[in-house]
Amino acid sequence: MGPLAITLLLLAAFGAFGALCWRKFRLIAALQPQPRLDEPLARLKSVLVNGFLQQRMVRGEWRPGLMHAAIFLGFVTLLVRKLELIAIGYDAGFAIPGLLGFVVAHGKELVEVLVLAAVGYAFYRRLVLQPARLEPNREALLILSLITVIVLTDIGFDAFRQAADAASGHPAPLASLLAAGLSGWTPEALALGAAIFYWTQMVVVLGFLVLLPLGEHFHIVTALPALYFRRGHPPHAVPAVDLDAMMAEDADPAALKVGIATAADLGWKEGLDLYTCTECGRCKDACPTFLTGKPLSMKWVNDALKHHLWDQRAAIEAGGEAAAALPPLVGGVIEPETLWACTTCGYCEAACPIELEHLPRFFRMRQHQVLMTGEFPAEFQRVFRGYEGQSNPWGLPADSRGDWARAAGVPIVSTAEDIAALDWLWYVGSAESFDPRGQKIARAVATILARAGVRVGVLGAAEPSTGECVRRIGNEMLFQQMARELVERFSALGVKRILTADPHAYNTLRNEYPAFGGHYELIHHTQLIAQLIAEGRIRVERRLERAMLHDPCYLGRHNGEYEAPRAILAALCKDTPLEFPLARERSMCCGAGGGRMWVDERIGTKINGERVRQALPQDPSVIASACPYCAVMLGDGLKVQDLAERIASKDLAELVAEALA
């Protein structure tokens, strides 16, 4: 087909592709170090499962998932075909010999038909269905058009080549059918047709290669590396700050830095994630801020940071004073309202088909705003003072933390001997210790445990706060102070097994406290209650009808517990429990996480109101939850819409306590 022409085309295309990729990888390499070399087998598994097998892509939403999987299969499979076409450029009669050639020819044609069907559906989604998460995107339409041209020219080349020489290659059905229609063409016309289809395809394929590093489809290059270098477990943990090193006597004051201030403070994996974002918009589908008109979508954030990173590449690569002079991200690239709108529910990460890490960037930006600039919502100052003075966000007297327990007959323990005599130490948390709504839940839990004969005790006034809330707001210094106090106290008491009805405390003690020396066996109250029902240690009557379950983010997405709450509700219902349209992994947050419990919503609609509205088409009699914060938020959402008399908001523990036989 022309050895000189194919050689020049390959050199130009791969040279341009390499140069363009190098510019981006050089920028990523100039960012801050992030260790990502542990657990190589687990990392390879993620590449296989979510990269090559596209599990997250298909599971998240099966129609577009299968569409993308088919196109990805086309890229992988047709790579062999492109190598064959390159060989044909040097030897026009080349064909993969024997059985392998037959399998490749027939297999690639089947894949090409699948790719055409997938591309057709992709056009239909973007141009006709137009789902809210897919914004107008000319690059996406261009890429789909190029894929269509590549597939059609490949089929056309096979047809003309076969019509010109029936013995060439391994005739596949579609190419053979088309070749039969060309039987009356002259040899010269067939040769010209084959050449046109061949060179059109090669120019488009290699042009596509050069285009990849220039736009959002660079993720085709970076997706598998991003999957390999993912954070892994525990999920959604807040990045720690080495405060001891910062406060050391020999520490360099000029190096005092916390969190992310400018683009130069981003880690290399964070930069890789920005260039890997496929802009699929899945992070929007159940994002509580996006669905209620807040100025936050992780897709938008990624896009803004990506362009800013590229615009400032010279300063970042130069380092030193040039990097130090970069503009701040918050207030420049990202509006403060965007940063503080996040409820840290984790949906964006759970929905991302390639496991991109969105929350750590926000956590580190918040750390900088709180600890370095002091610029954060004024309501948080009251929360910080409450924790500093009384170890609770309300600032209520700490010595009253166990008052509810005395009234409920729950033992207050104080020694290691007391702890050793318990089945579980009950970590109550601030919401159930001080908030009247939370205390109702605590008393219900106490009733259930007493009926089952489970030996529990609480620390009362001596119970330290986990500091989960202040950590997610960004006050890492206060959190670590509280963490050291809790670990020290629990170690002195020999605490090993902890029960809690607060998913936020459950998540922090389970996933974040091991980094501070706190290693405990955690159980959530729904897990324990489900066990008690299954073992027959408590019996409940089936009283409920049309009950609907709300999944708490920090129990479900953050810790994977979806079944225990459903097992409880199923045991309480006469009928099949109802499900929110957005449930389980796709459950929408109540709006309380990430410190948002303490901040008024001034932009868009109320998150808790939107969550309640999602339940109304099914007309539930009660919305059951498993978190004291969810109970408050959902209850308020019902009250605001004058629905509290028609629909109840109750914790599962309350429903079980009411149904005890």
Side-chain angles (χ1 to χ4, degrees), residues 122-192:
F123 274 120
Y124 176 70
R125 286 186 76 237
R126 287 189 172 273
L127 300 177
V128 180
L129 296 180
Q130 296 183 338
R133 76 172 191 226
L134 288 181
E135 299 156 11
N137 189 320
R138 288 180 294 179
E139 181 184 335
L141 296 177
L142 172 62
I143 294 297
L144 291 173
S145 300
L146 292 178
I147 294 172
T148 303
V149 171
I150 290 169
V151 172
L152 292 178
T153 53
D154 190 55
I155 295 172
F157 171 68
D158 274 352
F160 273 91
R161 189 184 189 208
Q162 185 179 333
D165 181 4
S168 64
H170 301 272
L174 183 56
S176 297
L177 179 63
L178 295 174
L182 301 171
S183 58
W185 290 41
T186 66
E188 293 77 14
L190 292 173
L192 178 61

Side-chain angles (χ1 to χ4, degrees), residues 3 5 26 89 98 100 133 303 484 549 570 572 601 622 635 655:
R26 184 176 62 189
L100 178 60
R133 76 172 191 226
D303 195 51
R484 285 191 291 268
L549 179 68
L572 297 173
E601 291 184 64
V622 60
L655 296 174

Side-chain angles (χ1 to χ4, degrees), residues 135-320:
E135 299 156 11
N137 189 320
R138 288 180 294 179
E139 181 184 335
L141 296 177
L142 172 62
I143 294 297
L144 291 173
S145 300
L146 292 178
I147 294 172
T148 303
V149 171
I150 290 169
V151 172
L152 292 178
T153 53
D154 190 55
I155 295 172
F157 171 68
D158 274 352
F160 273 91
R161 189 184 189 208
Q162 185 179 333
D165 181 4
S168 64
H170 301 272
L174 183 56
S176 297
L177 179 63
L178 295 174
L182 301 171
S183 58
W185 290 41
T186 66
E188 293 77 14
L190 292 173
L192 178 61
I196 290 173
F197 277 103
Y198 176 86
W199 288 109
T200 300
Q201 176 175 188
M202 295 309 296
V203 169
V204 172
V205 166
L206 295 174
F208 186 100
L209 183 70
V210 175
L211 181 64
L212 289 183
L214 297 176
E216 69 185 58
H217 286 78
F218 191 47
H219 73 263
I220 293 173
V221 177
T222 59
L224 296 182
L227 278 168
Y228 182 83
F229 292 114
R230 85 216 191 292
R231 177 183 62 242
H233 295 281
H236 316 302
V238 176
V241 177
D242 191 348
L243 296 175
D244 292 336
M246 291 175 54
M247 300 302 174
E249 293 184 2
D250 58 348
D252 181 6
L256 182 62
K257 183 181 293 186
V258 176
I260 295 174
T262 71
D265 298 323
L266 291 167
W268 69 264
K269 177 56 168 61
E270 291 169 323
L272 181 65
D273 281 359
L274 296 178
Y275 283 112
T276 306
C277 178
T278 67
E279 300 190 25
C280 65
R282 291 192 180 204
C283 55
K284 298 178 182 179
D285 287 347
C287 172
T289 58
F290 176 76
L291 294 181
T292 56
K294 311 292 190 296
L296 170 59
S297 156
M298 285 302 179
K299 174 182 178 295
W300 299 340
V301 170
N302 287 345
D303 195 51
L305 288 175
K306 176 175 66 178
H307 287 97
H308 176 73
L309 198 64
W310 184 250
D311 292 340
Q312 303 297 332
R313 64 188 182 280
I316 294 171
E317 293 172 7

Side-chain angles (χ1 to χ4, degrees), residues 22 58 100 169 184 230 234 260 265 283 361 395 500 528 531 566:
W22 170 246
V58 176
L100 178 60
R230 85 216 191 292
I260 295 174
D265 298 323
C283 55
R361 289 197 305 270
T500 184
L528 181 56
Q531 288 179 18
R566 283 170 172 78

Side-chain angles (χ1 to χ4, degrees), residues 302-380:
N302 287 345
D303 195 51
L305 288 175
K306 176 175 66 178
H307 287 97
H308 176 73
L309 198 64
W310 184 250
D311 292 340
Q312 303 297 332
R313 64 188 182 280
I316 294 171
E317 293 172 7
E321 294 183 1
L326 286 170
L329 293 182
V330 179
V333 183
I334 300 172
E335 293 300 322
E337 292 82 4
T338 299
L339 176 67
W340 298 109
C342 182
T343 67
T344 71
C345 73
Y347 174 74
C348 54
E349 291 195 4
C352 182
I354 41 182
E355 300 187 65
L356 300 186
E357 301 158 28
H358 306 293
L359 290 182
R361 289 197 305 270
F362 264 41
F363 287 139
R364 297 210 297 135
M365 288 181 198
R366 288 183 172 190
Q367 288 169 352
H368 180 82
Q369 294 302 108
V370 171
L371 297 178
M372 300 300 292
T373 70
E375 297 175 1
F376 51 86
E379 295 96 327
F380 290 147

Side-chain angles (χ1 to χ4, degrees), residues 437 621-625 630-636 638 644 647-651 654-655:
R437 182 68 188 87
S621 63
V622 60
I623 299 177
S625 56
C630 291
V632 170
M633 297 297 283
L634 295 173
D636 288 348
L638 289 167
I647 304 173
S649 169
K650 292 195 175 185
D651 189 273
E654 295 177 287
L655 296 174

Side-chain angles (χ1 to χ4, degrees), residues 4-35:
L4 178 59
I6 192 66
T7 299
L8 293 176
L9 189 58
L10 289 171
L11 288 175
F14 280 99
F17 174 75
L20 293 171
C21 285
W22 170 246
R23 290 203 302 169
K24 290 195 171 176
F25 285 126
R26 184 176 62 189
L27 171 58
I28 292 170
L31 298 173
Q32 301 302 313
Q34 286 182 297

